[in-house]
Amino acid sequence: MAEKTKGEQLREELLMKRRNLTEVLSEDELAKAQQFCEGYKTFLDNAKIEREAVTYSLGLLKAANYTEFDPKGSYKPGDKVYVNNRGKAIIACTIGRKPVSEGVRIGVSHIDSPRLDLKPCPLFEEGEQAFFRTHYYGGIKKYQWTTIPLALHGVVARRDGSTLTVSIGEDESDPVFCVNDLLPHLAQDQMKKPMSQGIEGEKLCLLIGSAMLRDDKGEERVKIAIAKLLFEKYNIREEDFLSAELCAVPAFKARDLGLDRSMIGAYGHDDRVCAYPILMAEIDEKSPEYTTVTIFADKEEIGSDGPTGMNSFFLKDFIEDLAQQQGCEVRHVLAKSHCFSADVNAAYDPMYAEVSERRNCSYINYGVVVTKYTGHGGKSSTNDATAEMMAFTRRIMDEGGVHWQTGELGRVDQGGGGTVAKYVSQHNVDTVDLGVPVLSMHAPFEVVAKTDVYMTYLAMRAFYR
Ligand code: MN
Ligand code: MN
């Protein structure tokens, strides 16, 4: 073999190398990634809204011997506990070999995704068709939510305290719903509008029926027929919608994408594609050095407010309970803790290359993406991880044999966004964003690469070990 030139040697020693994982990983690793993603797809199909993500995760946690956390209890290394926050957010924790006074390792992701929520008074009839009025939840491009099959998920809390869990449209034999759009033949006015105005928010109404109540002379006979059906089938009256959380979400299941099956197309990758890997890493770690604290948060897509969002104190309160059990102060625990805020980033899309900066964006199949900062404009409204936190992250990744990359959320001044990172770091916790690159983020059908999902799991494994 010819000897390497000086230039080749220097490049090898001094420059960064990033390679596509479908080429780099061994057959064995690729098979493991495939297998990991089978579990992930099942998670996706069973967890389309935050409540379902909590219920499904609780099942996995209990099967792995997690018990409900007792603030007055005392725990030893290796003990596994959980806290269920209102069925909409959850904390899972494994007690570490070191005391919490030396800090804990926090992994956070969110389990809510953009969707159409029913309004409190949703039911109406127009033109002998019955509809549910919706208010969209999270950042959506409204036109993407028309003319696709939608399922209805959520709960109705009745006055008597009983709760009805709703899931209609997932079983092959279930009916589905949709938001209609104008035919192109008559859309000349609509098509002239900017895309952001082509579909108005108030027109995102869910078509739910068209059959009239027979042998009746009254008004709105389709609406009353639907009301009759809702009462007979589910024992709910119109008033019960006042105390309900019902969400219209895409009715399709997670599918392998591409002839090579290297990707997954599904609703809600943001952020279940990080939630599932961090949950698996939490469950699989039996004897961590530092106590692990894994959180699934709600409300990220609308700003993290409310008791189940990361702007609430439920994480800090939990760590305070741990601190008290071990006879130390929560603020001292937090100051020594580290957090991986596991959320997605925008993957480079060759069809829309103009919004990315090629040297600093993330790519599918290049592994878990570490995002130093998100925000918009001049790094406004974000957690900008310290150089030391980035160095800590590099060490974890490299020592764990994790393939990773860095990513910015788009070109400078192209737009922006945020994650829960700033709501953890506000408690004086060193935090960085890390997760899976996603194509078509926030669309009803988002795309990720399987190798990246698996690398996110390995990254969290390395962090928790
Ligand atoms: Mn997200
Ligand atoms: Mn999002």
Side-chain angles (χ1 to χ4, degrees), residues 90-240:
I90 195 168
I91 297 175
C93 164
T94 307
I95 306 297
R97 286 177 276 126
K98 288 188 184 229
V100 294
S101 57
E102 298 197 29
V104 299
R105 295 271 163 104
I106 303 167
V108 199
S109 64
H110 67 91
I111 47 173
D112 60 318
S113 296
R115 64 195 184 214
L116 306 179
D117 281 351
L118 296 203
K119 290 193 184 195
C121 300
L123 181 59
F124 75 101
E125 173 179 337
E126 197 66 59
E128 297 182 351
Q129 298 172 23
F131 298 90
F132 280 148
R133 272 200 180 282
T134 71
H135 195 137
Y136 67 97
Y137 174 99
I140 62 167
K141 292 164 89 174
K142 299 183 189 81
Y143 71 87
Q144 293 179 333
W145 293 76
T146 63
T147 63
I148 57 169
L150 296 168
L152 210 54
H153 289 242
V155 296
V156 179
R158 299 192 191 87
R159 265 188 61 171
D160 64 10
S162 65
T163 304
L164 171 74
T165 302
V166 176
S167 173
I168 308 168
E170 295 297 338
D171 197 88
E172 285 300 319
S173 62
D174 282 356
V176 292
F177 315 95
C178 73
V179 173
N180 285 327
D181 191 9
L182 208 47
L183 63 169
H185 317 65
L186 302 180
Q188 55 175 359
D189 294 339
Q190 181 195 37
M191 296 300 278
K192 283 187 204 130
K193 292 180 184 172
M195 266 166 105
S196 62
Q197 290 162 30
I199 304 289
E200 291 163 38
E202 289 292 359
K203 284 195 164 64
L204 293 174
C205 293
L206 215 56
L207 180 61
I208 57 163
S210 68
M212 302 184 101
L213 184 70
R214 291 154 71 97
D215 306 317
D216 182 62
K217 296 275 181 288
E219 299 276 288
E220 300 191 326
R221 278 184 275 162
V222 179
K223 176 178 171 176
I224 189 63
I226 289 286
K228 176 172 177 274
L229 203 151
L230 285 169
F231 184 71
E232 286 172 358
K233 213 162 172 194
Y234 304 106
N235 190 27
I236 56 175
R237 295 176 162 84
E238 189 176 18
E239 210 179 5
D240 291 318

Side-chain angles (χ1 to χ4, degrees), residues 386-401:
T386 62
E388 291 82 357
M389 180 61 187
M390 290 299 285
F392 167 88
T393 307
R394 283 174 62 190
R395 272 199 304 280
I396 299 252
M397 297 292 154
D398 294 344
E399 284 168 17

